[in-house]
Amino acid sequence: MSEANSGVGRVTREQRGNVFLIGLDRAGKRNAFDSALLSDLSLALGEYERNGELRCAVLFAHGEHFTSGLDLMELTPKLTSGAFHYPATGIDPWGVAKPRRTKPLVIAIQGICWTAGIELMLNADVAVIAGNARFAHLEVLRGIAPSGGSTVRFTRAAGWVDAMRYMLTGEEFSAADALRMRLANEVVEPGQELGRALEYAQRIAKAAPLAVKATLHSASQALAEGEDAALANLNDLLLSLIKTEDVREGVMAMLQKREPMFKGQ
């Protein structure tokens, strides 16, 4: 149930097999991020990271809109005074501060997706957006700069010209624009975004968990430390995986022409 009338932000949690659904639940405020919603999203991601049963997470939003961004009226005094910090057992949802998420995340977006919402999308691994989604980086119109990674990730995905056009002007862009700029994997009919995101997550969850984490680690290392650092690590990653039970299971499933049953061991 949504806490739309309470003004207190939180997220819902639901486990479906090996998939963890995390839902922004402040629909009455267009899922604007106040300190409570920020903290609870961080906690939910920490729970996902530590739970060995969970192999993929889906981040979505209750209500008509994904998020209108940060609730600056509530957050500004806390940020100014240094009173806001992510919980010790949480993970920064934007992947700016360490420790960062090491397991895959699929995101489903509908309606308004402004500022911090765009940066959540850019920090996800797979993004599905509804055709009615609308995006805007409004920070420069509020006197601040994007602080959740867009200055790095938006420019990397879309290229300098497109990224700067939208980050420096606050101009709105559409779902079709987001797809063109490689910010999302696909655009679907409104109402179908969560179902499609779940399809991706379930397919990821069927893959070998250690191999999925190793793939994410290598790609993330290349972005953070450079190609040489990631390439130098590839043989060690392969050797660590080749000894696992999941590799034996993958080979046997191939020979027996059946679906593999990976255990993450």
Side-chain angles (χ1 to χ4, degrees), residues 106-124:
V106 180
I107 195 168
I109 291 172
Q110 81 283 4
I112 287 172
C113 180
W114 291 343
T115 63
I118 297 172
E119 294 177 305
L120 282 176
M121 175 175 65
L122 288 166
N123 192 43

Side-chain angles (χ1 to χ4, degrees), residues 61-104:
H62 297 276
E64 296 180 13
H65 302 290
F66 186 74
T67 182
S68 58
L70 300 180
D71 185 342
L72 290 175
M73 292 294 290
E74 194 270 348
L75 278 172
T76 298
K78 295 182 178 180
L79 293 172
T80 302
S81 65
F84 177 78
H85 302 280
Y86 288 119
T89 57
I91 288 178
D92 177 355
W94 286 268
V96 174
K98 294 180 180 181
R100 298 190 177 102
R101 170 177 54 82
T102 67
K103 296 163 71 173

Side-chain angles (χ1 to χ4, degrees), residues 128-180:
V128 179
I129 58 178
N132 67 354
R134 295 151 48 203
F135 304 88
H137 256 305
L138 301 168
E139 289 91 343
V140 294
L141 304 181
R142 305 291 185 262
I144 59 175
S147 57
S150 270
T151 52
V152 175
R153 300 181 184 123
F154 197 170
T155 52
R156 187 172 63 216
W160 186 271
V161 173
D162 273 328
M164 287 302 156
R165 169 186 174 181
Y166 293 112
M167 286 194 290
L168 297 181
T169 66
E171 181 182 345
E172 186 176 292
F173 58 94
S174 67
D177 290 325
L179 187 65
R180 174 184 62 81

